[in-house]
Amino acid sequence: MVGKVEFFTRQGLEEKKEELETLKSEGRRAVAEKIKVALGYGDLSENSEYDEAKNEQAQLEEKIAKLDLMIRNAKVIEEEDLSEDEVRVGALVYVKDLASGEEDEYNIVGSAEADPLEGKISNESPVGAGLLGKSVGDVAEIDTPQGLLRLEVIKIAIE
């Protein structure tokens, strides 16, 4: 099965690979133990512990399959792909909100690595997509649920 291309920093991809290996080993082992214990309770037709463990197993296998597909479709953002002249996935972008005058910084990452609380926004989010391709001095006009956001790019850095 082919999925969409997922952009990753080298570190982000390594973290996803580690997560996948943990789920395959420790996660599967833990679920198998729960199933084994639940089987010891007898009659499966009225065994809620068994049903719960089997549901947990299905959810775990689904997560493993999604992570595996994501990793197979990964594109690592290489340093030569980055530029301080244009906002691209992997760039650290410093912006000024023209309405409030507030300055902020965003690290544009692939959707799998996005963490808004850490300033990592997805290239697929309205703000991330709106900043892609912009240069220093450009103003991105972005429709958001809160209204039109006008961000001036004041600096582009490569981490």
Side-chain angles (χ1 to χ4, degrees):
M1 177 163 57
V2 176
K4 70 175 185 152
V5 172
E6 296 281 354
F7 292 97
F8 283 96
T9 60
R10 194 162 297 285
Q11 176 187 351
L13 182 58
E14 289 307 312
E15 288 171 2
K16 290 296 179 192
K17 286 179 178 179
E18 288 173 18
E19 180 183 356
L20 178 60
E21 287 310 309
T22 300
L23 291 175
K24 284 181 171 180
S25 59
E26 296 170 24
R28 282 180 171 158
R29 199 169 23 255
V31 169
E33 184 60 31
K34 287 181 182 179
I35 291 171
K36 181 180 170 186
V37 168
L39 284 171
Y41 295 144
D43 184 12
L44 295 182
S45 66
E46 296 179 18
N47 190 333
S48 64
E49 288 86 357
Y50 178 76
D51 291 340
E52 189 176 312
K54 290 300 282 183
N55 285 337
E56 189 175 333
Q57 181 183 40
Q59 290 171 347
L60 175 69
E61 293 304 325
E62 181 180 352
K63 187 169 185 175
I64 287 171
K66 284 181 180 179
L67 270 173
D68 189 50
L69 182 62
M70 186 184 300
I71 290 167
R72 280 190 278 129
N73 292 315
K75 176 172 181 344
V76 175
I77 303 156
E78 301 292 349
E79 199 165 314
E80 58 266 14
D81 295 336
L82 300 174
S83 168
E84 292 182 347
D85 298 327
E86 180 181 304
V87 178
R88 298 180 183 170
V89 177
L92 183 59
V93 185
Y94 297 84
V95 297
K96 180 178 184 177
D97 184 326
L98 296 180
S100 68
E102 289 182 32
E103 293 185 5
D104 214 340
E105 64 184 65
Y106 299 111
N107 189 350
I108 310 295
V109 296
S111 59
E113 284 187 85
D115 186 349
L117 296 177
E118 288 187 21
K120 294 180 179 181
I121 62 169
S122 167
N123 61 314
E124 298 174 7
S125 71
V127 173
L131 290 171
L132 288 177
K134 299 291 186 238
S135 300
V136 173
D138 288 352
V139 174
E141 293 189 352
I142 304 160
D143 283 319
T144 70
Q146 293 78 27
L148 185 66
L149 184 62
R150 297 183 73 232
L151 300 176
E152 179 183 2
V153 177
I154 53 178
K155 181 180 174 184
I156 302 168
I158 299 171
E159 287 194 313

